[in-house]
Amino acid sequence: MKKSSLISIAALAAVSALALSGCAGASNDAAASTRACVILPDTESSPRWEAGDKPALEKALTDAGYSVDIQNAQGDTAKYATIADQMLSKGCGVMILTDHQGAAIQVAEKAKAAGVPVIAYDRPVAGADYYVSFDNEGVGAIEGECIVDGLTAAGKDPKTASVVYVGGDPADGNAKMFYDGAVSVMSAAGIKPAAETPGTWDGTKAGTAFEQAYTSLGGAVDAVWVANDTNAAAVITILDKNGKTVPVSGQDASVAGLQNVLLGKQTCTVYKPFSVEAAAASDLAIQILGGKAPSVSKKLADGTPFVAVTPIKVGPEQVIDVVAAGDASAKDLCTAELAEACAKYGVK
């Protein structure tokens, strides 16, 4: 399916962030290997890893003529380490690592000791040579805007509103960036958290913690800042049970997230096209595998070269853009319950 203009622009921006600076700097070991080793974190925090990132990375790298080994740690740090050891024993020209609870840090150390460059993918990894992700504080800022705008639309004063914060797993370096970005916007509007739940990417745990916060507040909840769609779905289940609809944020443009946005139960989701992020990481890896040393203009605070991809805000009117881009299907979204909403917003 043809990509939307929004995605084309984002892809161009991501690719243009990389500029070749010659062949110096690539290790002999890396240049001699044509194998890319990729470790993804789990299948629980988001459906994107297996359904989106894996096939996109595999296609880009194999189309460029390189072999690729992509495995998923299934949320197990010990398995993450075992996979890495097996990969390194067979030889890698580059490693692309999406961290899971800090497991990638030791892997990055082993890889670098073996002369293998490391690309931290989507989540920061201490000691990585490069970092490819979305502008994560920008993601949080969009979520914060959704909460502020949602409160205003509901006639609530942000300064006096009761807002619960449901963040991500603090072991994930991105979670703090999402939080910081959201808080920067919400605090500027005068919002102070009425309650904060322990951070997690486990939807069941997030729902339980939110229900406890909801009960402790006597149901006086005007909005919920939530870091991703999986947690948002759990929060919305609790709100539904109590017959309540309030502004709720999220990210990932998952099927459940987009459906909740169409139904008006989630104010927005943040669309992070995996195809654009995967293209940026693959382009970087291909340069390294080709014996070239990429030059990246943006850097993290610790100096790590950072390829930042621009996130996209999605309300009900923009769901059709995600479908048009091929990252969601009307068939999956437009169930019987969603038929009226899909018709209203032209999702077909």
Side-chain angles (χ1 to χ4, degrees), residues 17-98:
L18 296 173
L20 298 183
S21 62
C23 298
S27 73
N28 290 333
D29 288 341
S33 176
T34 59
R35 186 165 175 266
C37 301
V38 184
I39 306 180
L40 299 174
D42 56 41
T43 56
E44 296 299 319
S45 63
S46 174
R48 61 170 285 192
W49 304 119
E50 289 296 303
D53 297 80
K54 181 177 180 177
L57 289 165
E58 187 168 37
K59 184 177 189 306
L61 289 160
T62 54
D63 282 356
Y66 297 103
S67 60
V68 59
D69 182 2
I70 303 180
Q71 297 188 48
N72 193 305
Q74 301 294 336
D76 186 329
T77 55
K79 184 173 182 178
Y80 198 112
T82 299
I83 290 171
D85 287 344
Q86 291 171 344
M87 286 179 168
L88 287 168
S89 69
K90 294 177 183 177
C92 303
V94 64
M95 294 198 85
I96 301 175
L97 305 175
T98 302

Side-chain angles (χ1 to χ4, degrees), residues 129-173:
D129 297 286
Y130 301 94
Y131 177 44
V132 176
S133 187
F134 285 83
D135 177 352
N136 295 312
E137 288 199 8
V139 170
I142 291 174
E143 293 178 338
E145 290 167 6
C146 290
I147 296 302
V148 174
D149 293 346
L151 287 169
T152 302
K156 299 283 186 179
D157 182 354
K159 295 182 178 65
T160 58
S162 176
V163 181
V164 178
Y165 292 9
V166 180
D169 187 342
D172 173 2

